[in-house]
Amino acid sequence: MSILNALPDNCGIIICGHGSRAKIAEQEFSLLMSGLRARCPNLQIEYGFLEYSSPNIHMALDRLLAAGVKNIFALPGMLFSATHAGNDIPSVLTAYMQKHPRITIKYGTALGLHDEMIQAFQHRIMAAVGLERLPEAGALYDTLLVVVGRGTSVATANAEVAKLTRIVAENMGFGWCETVYAGVTFPSVGRGLEMAVKLGFKKIVVAPYFLFSGRLIGRINAYVEKIAAKNPDIEFMLADYLRDQAHVINAFMIRIEETVSQPAVNDGLLENFQARLAAGEASVHHHHAEFEPDRPHNHDHSHSHDHDRGHRHEYYRHIAHPHGPRSMIDEQVCCCFMSQFPEQVIAEARRLRQKRGPPDADDRTPQCQTAHD
């Protein structure tokens, strides 16, 4: 019998997501939670978001509290343990415990590169190339795999995506593999695909390692269409993102069980945050503006920035990398990152853009004014 089925009635689970203005992301997160609840019908399971989406984390915790839950097991509903999982969610959980000292919250680990997540990803890629099982050696030697990660200012999280790329490429036997990113780091999706087509492969699989849809998935698809149109002799195959794939639900179940059974997991993310808090190296704050039911969703994010509501990005020392975010200046890069670019980098990027012609109207909108996946 699962350890979860043996939990007393005063125990509950909360899955903490990031949130997105894209409604489809909220819907897909809800579907995944339905899959978890189906596995544990007698267990109180809630979910909440850091920003933009409802319910927010405080609302979900309030629901658990109202249901008589005193012992809460929290899990980041995220692929890797970057800033959100290591700082933002612990900040919210710590603030809530300070407000409700009679409850306990034990915080678990992100999904990471658990075998179940690798299997989920491989199933999506196999579907893209028309396979039902892992191919024999040599079957995909003529095919290039391009994995698209979210991208962050945390190098170790970016490295996990690169590690995933290598594992999957060897497991499936691709002829070559590359890793690109849709977020702040390098190489960006567009620049990475431009370089990938020069490797000479006539078949390219582009596989986004994302849990849910949103603005970035749309942009990845648009990049693939654009590069494919310029290279009609290459067959591009686009894999689906993960969503509520069965192996993803398996991974969530395992992470929840680890959180319940082990004294400390994820290198003690919550404990680590609280230690830094005690040492004055961190503070409890609303890093993100959590969803408010009476606040319009259009979120005026002009360049004057209503940053007293907490929207910000950590400084990224490779912000001016020639194949990174600077390739998206005035197109897709968040205006929070725009403030990090040296003026000469912005000027140079704009000179190059003038030579290429104006971007599409949709590309001019910064990510922070659309959706954060």
Side-chain angles (χ1 to χ4, degrees):
M1 181 176 66
S2 170
I3 187 174
L4 301 182
N5 294 327
L7 287 174
D9 293 339
N10 67 350
C11 293
I13 307 295
I14 179 173
I15 309 297
C16 305
H18 180 273
S20 171
R21 290 192 185 89
K23 284 297 180 182
I24 188 173
E26 294 182 19
Q27 295 165 358
E28 290 172 348
F29 201 102
S30 177
L31 285 174
L32 195 150
M33 293 305 104
S34 295
L36 284 177
R37 287 167 175 159
R39 300 278 189 98
C40 301
N42 299 321
L43 187 61
Q44 187 79 16
I45 301 179
E46 297 290 344
Y47 66 93
F49 301 99
L50 277 170
E51 64 177 345
Y52 304 129
S53 301
S54 180
N56 65 37
I57 294 174
H58 281 275
M59 294 162 63
L61 289 168
D62 285 343
R63 290 181 184 179
L64 290 174
L65 198 61
V69 173
K70 303 296 183 183
N71 300 307
I72 300 172
F73 301 96
L75 199 74
M78 300 173 180
L79 293 172
F80 299 113
S81 294
T83 303
H84 298 315
N87 289 280
D88 304 339
I89 295 174
S91 180
V92 175
L93 298 179
T94 298
Y96 197 86
M97 282 191 289
Q98 291 173 347
K99 184 179 178 181
H100 302 279
R102 293 186 179 181
I103 69 168
T104 63
I105 300 179
K106 191 176 179 184
Y107 186 47
T109 181
L111 295 168
L113 294 185
H114 192 281
D115 285 346
E116 292 286 348
M117 295 304 297
I118 294 172
Q119 288 190 55
F121 194 42
Q122 289 178 170
H123 272 275
R124 294 303 193 207
I125 296 171
M126 284 188 286
V129 298
L131 297 174
E132 294 184 357
R133 59 183 61 86
L134 288 177
E136 298 293 331
L140 295 177
Y141 286 175
D142 63 345
T143 305
L144 166 67
L145 172 66
V146 178
V147 173
V148 185
R150 172 61 180 85
T152 172
S153 57
V154 179
T156 52
N158 296 332
E160 288 295 285
V161 183
K163 180 179 179 180
L164 170 70
T165 301
R166 187 67 193 185
I167 291 172
V168 172
E170 293 209 24
N171 285 350
M172 299 188 66
F174 281 95
W176 197 270
C177 60
E178 296 288 342
T179 308
V180 300
Y181 301 89
V184 60
T185 194
F186 62 90
S188 62
V189 181
R191 192 59 57 88
L193 288 176
E194 289 172 355
M195 293 181 174
V197 298
K198 298 177 181 179
L199 293 173
F201 287 87
K202 296 304 180 183
K203 296 180 182 180
I204 298 178
V205 178
V206 181
Y209 193 62
F210 283 65
L211 272 177
F212 308 111
S213 186
R215 184 75 172 187
L216 292 182
I217 290 293
R219 291 197 180 279
I220 292 167
N221 295 346
Y223 272 127
V224 174
E225 291 176 5
K226 182 178 180 180
I227 300 298
K230 292 181 177 179
N231 299 272
D233 58 327
I234 299 177
E235 179 185 0
F236 282 85
M237 293 161 277
L238 183 61
D240 196 3
Y241 52 94
L242 298 170
R243 293 199 309 276
D244 58 344
Q245 209 273 349
H247 288 290
V248 174
I249 297 178
N250 291 346
F252 268 109
M253 290 293 296
I254 292 169
R255 293 305 191 205
I256 293 171
E257 290 176 352
E258 290 174 351
T259 308
V260 171
S261 63
Q262 297 180 11
V265 295
N266 202 29
D267 296 326
L269 278 181
L270 187 57
E271 294 80 3
N272 178 276
F273 174 82
Q274 291 172 341
R276 288 186 286 116
L277 182 65
E281 299 171 357
S283 60
V284 173
H285 64 286
H286 295 288
H287 180 93
H288 295 276
E290 290 193 333
F291 178 91
E292 297 176 22
D294 58 349
R295 183 173 175 84
H297 256 238
N298 58 5
H299 177 53
D300 179 13
H301 208 312
S302 65
H303 283 267
S304 62
H305 276 70
D306 184 17
H307 273 197
D308 61 329
R309 297 194 60 81
H311 179 90
R312 66 182 178 87
H313 288 287
E314 298 297 328
Y315 172 73
Y316 183 53
R317 68 190 184 94
H318 295 301
I319 193 71
H321 191 286
H323 304 305
R326 69 183 292 169
S327 66
M328 300 184 289
I329 285 176
D330 291 337
E331 290 186 11
Q332 302 173 33
V333 69
C334 175
C335 43
C336 303
F337 285 120
M338 282 294 292
S339 64
Q340 298 185 24
F341 288 112
E343 287 299 324
Q344 64 269 26
V345 170
I346 296 176
E348 180 183 352
R350 288 173 175 167
R351 283 196 299 270
L352 292 174
R353 179 151 294 109
Q354 286 177 351
K355 293 180 180 179
R356 296 198 301 265
D360 296 336
D362 186 55
D363 284 344
R364 294 191 181 98
T365 305
Q367 291 173 358
C368 56
Q369 293 185 25
T370 53
H372 284 262
D373 293 338

